[in-house]
Amino acid sequence: MTEEYASWERRTPRQRLGRYVLVLITLVVAAASWRVLDVNYNYIESAPTEFMDLVTRMYPPDTSYTGDIIGPLIETVHIAVLGTALAVVLSIPVALLGASNTTPNKLGFALGKFIISFTRSVNVIIWALLFVIIFGSGVLAGVLAIAVRSIGFCSKLIAEAIEEIDPGQVEAMKATGANPIEVAIYGIAPQIKPAFIGVSTYRWDINVRSSTIIGFVGAGGVGVELNTAINFFQWQRVLTILLAILAIVIISEVVSASLRRKVR
């Protein structure tokens, strides 16, 4: 006696049809977007030649210029450190507002979410340009741009960590008569410490990269030197600066990864 078994299928015919339609719509939108961009294919054809010409102009790097960019490189790291530190400090109250289990009311929750979304939605270059207009060119504009851009990132991840804490510890402290500040320091902070350190170091790693480009709008750092070298077609100096930036980024990546491993 033979038994007939119904074959199992992961998706129903209707679901498969929906996926095919979604893929087709995606391809149509991508094709339409490419057509609207009106790409000049002549530049694409000449790109390899132009690239090799640029490489020839850049190589070898101007090693005699290395000493002149040490100061701007150190300034770049300082901008990243100060901007990250300021962002972390400011992100703590924003995270407490944006976390559903610590916000005082719906208005505070909405305000926290608004700050998180607003600061993350504007690119660091735009923030740098705005602060250069307000405070003038220099390191201050760069630090503030890095800090404001980082508040939303840090606040969002810290708020998510706060929402995942064990509420029992918080309730126990409240039952003993602890005030909100004591609850935050002794009940919440110890539980989110690994996430807090991890977010801070990861954001610092990102900010080191960001600090290298905000100089293009006058916000300090090695980006000012890079922009100047490009404007004067000093391509060997450009390569020297790019190699120095690469070295700084690699060092920051190693340091950041090491710190994150230690808090796991």
Side-chain angles (χ1 to χ4, degrees), residues 65-223:
Y65 183 62
T66 304
D68 296 332
I69 61 174
I70 292 178
L73 283 173
I74 295 175
E75 186 178 88
T76 297
V77 176
H78 287 171
I79 291 173
V81 171
L82 292 175
T84 304
L86 181 59
V88 168
V89 171
L90 295 176
S91 67
I92 294 174
V94 177
L96 292 172
L97 286 175
S100 58
N101 55 340
T102 57
T103 188
N105 48 54
K106 292 183 178 180
L107 180 60
F109 183 74
L111 177 62
K113 290 299 185 182
F114 172 77
I115 295 174
I116 291 173
S117 300
F118 179 70
T119 54
R120 291 172 61 233
S121 63
V122 181
N123 190 274
V124 66
I125 288 291
I126 306 301
W127 283 120
L129 185 60
L130 291 175
F131 286 121
V132 165
I133 295 173
I134 297 172
F135 298 104
S137 60
V139 176
L140 178 60
V143 171
L144 293 177
I146 292 294
V148 174
R149 179 64 178 85
S150 303
I151 289 174
F153 178 91
C154 296
S155 299
K156 178 178 174 60
L157 296 182
I158 294 174
E160 291 176 354
I162 293 174
E163 290 176 342
E164 296 175 359
I165 64 173
D166 178 15
Q169 298 184 31
V170 176
E171 295 299 329
M173 291 197 64
K174 290 181 178 179
T176 60
N179 59 49
I181 297 178
E182 291 174 336
V183 170
I185 295 176
Y186 300 107
I188 298 176
Q191 298 190 63
I192 66 169
K193 180 180 177 182
F196 180 80
I197 296 176
V199 169
S200 302
T201 54
Y202 182 57
R203 188 64 214 186
W204 172 75
D205 183 27
I206 295 173
N207 287 342
V208 170
R209 294 168 170 81
S210 299
S211 299
T212 62
I213 61 172
I214 56 177
F216 275 80
V217 294
V222 74

Side-chain angles (χ1 to χ4, degrees), residues 12-70:
T12 63
R14 183 175 181 179
Q15 290 175 328
R16 290 198 299 270
L17 178 61
R19 288 170 62 87
Y20 293 146
V21 171
L22 181 61
V23 171
L24 179 61
I25 292 174
T26 302
L27 292 176
V28 171
V29 171
S33 300
W34 184 266
R35 185 178 181 84
V36 170
L37 289 175
D38 193 20
V39 178
N40 190 336
Y41 295 99
N42 294 328
Y43 288 112
I44 297 178
E45 294 174 358
S46 61
T49 303
E50 298 295 337
F51 174 74
M52 292 307 301
D53 178 65
L54 182 60
V55 171
T56 303
R57 293 171 184 268
M58 285 184 168
Y59 188 83
D62 185 2
T63 55
S64 63
Y65 183 62
T66 304
D68 296 332
I69 61 174
I70 292 178

